[in-house]
Amino acid sequence: MPVEHWFDVICPYCYIAQDRNRILREHGLRVVEHALQIHPEIGPGGTPAGPRSGPSYEFLAREAEAAGLPLRWTDRIPYSRPALAAFEWLDTTNPEVGERFASAVFAAYFADGLDIESLDLLVGLAEEAGGDADALRAALASTEANDALTRSEVLAHQNAVVGTPTWIAGGQRVSGLRPRQWFDDWAAALTR
């Protein structure tokens, strides 16, 4: 049974959701990734990030540590559409490359504090993930990659997905980050 999962590379809950996807995969479930731009109002150049303090950020820090994911906040929230379009295009050519690329983009932003709007960075990460750098650059320069992202957004709309992370499987929609044990239990129920 596939588990459909929507994410955005600027969503810290989605960054940690990589760990939840790992739990699902360990139970033998196939996770099908879909990109969804959660802040279309953030354009090129990004936007300044507000204070990163309080209960939500303490929760994120604890969950990232438990998942073994370094978490470093930057002072800007980037425009995610190019990275998401690159993911969708790569994913249509090879889902394993798409998955490695998404993980690399998450790490570049949340662990290394890099500018994930940089076309050179995205192309380099795609090449490291096993993708065709020249073909990706051409897909991003044309409408091809953006069209792939638009198809993913239409699919999200058809499934009433309005936020990230969201998973759908077994007739159930799960929105938001839940505890690791919850995902263990859900995966066990889905594989019965």
Side-chain angles (χ1 to χ4, degrees), residues 42-140:
I42 298 176
T47 190
R52 307 281 180 103
S53 61
S56 293
Y57 292 100
E58 291 166 10
F59 168 79
L60 287 165
R62 282 192 311 274
E63 292 298 315
E65 184 177 359
L69 295 167
L71 181 58
R72 174 183 165 197
W73 298 112
T74 63
D75 62 355
R76 298 197 65 69
I77 300 171
Y79 175 55
S80 64
R81 193 160 192 87
L84 296 174
F87 163 77
E88 281 296 334
W89 184 85
L90 289 164
D91 194 61
T92 60
T93 62
N94 184 329
E96 290 176 7
V97 169
E99 183 182 329
R100 287 191 300 267
F101 172 78
S103 293
V105 174
F106 274 124
Y109 179 51
F110 286 106
D112 301 328
L114 299 177
D115 176 13
I116 61 168
E117 286 186 51
S118 164
L119 178 61
D120 289 336
L121 175 67
L122 295 175
V123 170
L125 293 174
E127 190 168 40
E128 289 172 17
D132 182 330
D134 292 334
L136 175 59
R137 197 178 288 275
L140 288 167

Side-chain angles (χ1 to χ4, degrees), residues 7-28:
F7 72 94
D8 192 335
V9 292
I10 62 170
C11 168
Y13 296 93
C14 297
Y15 174 56
I16 297 164
Q18 295 176 101
D19 173 66
R20 303 323 192 246
N21 287 340
R22 190 170 26 253
I23 292 168
L24 296 172
R25 289 182 179 110
E26 286 170 358
H27 281 269

Side-chain angles (χ1 to χ4, degrees), residues 119-189:
L119 178 61
D120 289 336
L121 175 67
L122 295 175
V123 170
L125 293 174
E127 190 168 40
E128 289 172 17
D132 182 330
D134 292 334
L136 175 59
R137 197 178 288 275
L140 288 167
S142 72
T143 64
E144 193 177 351
N146 194 61
D147 290 348
L149 177 55
T150 299
R151 286 190 295 276
S152 180
E153 292 170 331
V154 167
L155 185 62
H157 179 72
Q158 291 169 343
N159 284 279
V161 174
V162 295
T164 60
T166 296
W167 294 264
I168 297 176
Q172 186 175 8
R173 178 187 289 82
V174 178
S175 295
L177 192 66
R178 303 215 181 158
R180 299 180 94 242
Q181 185 61 52
W182 189 94
F183 275 86
D184 235 349
D185 295 344
W186 189 42

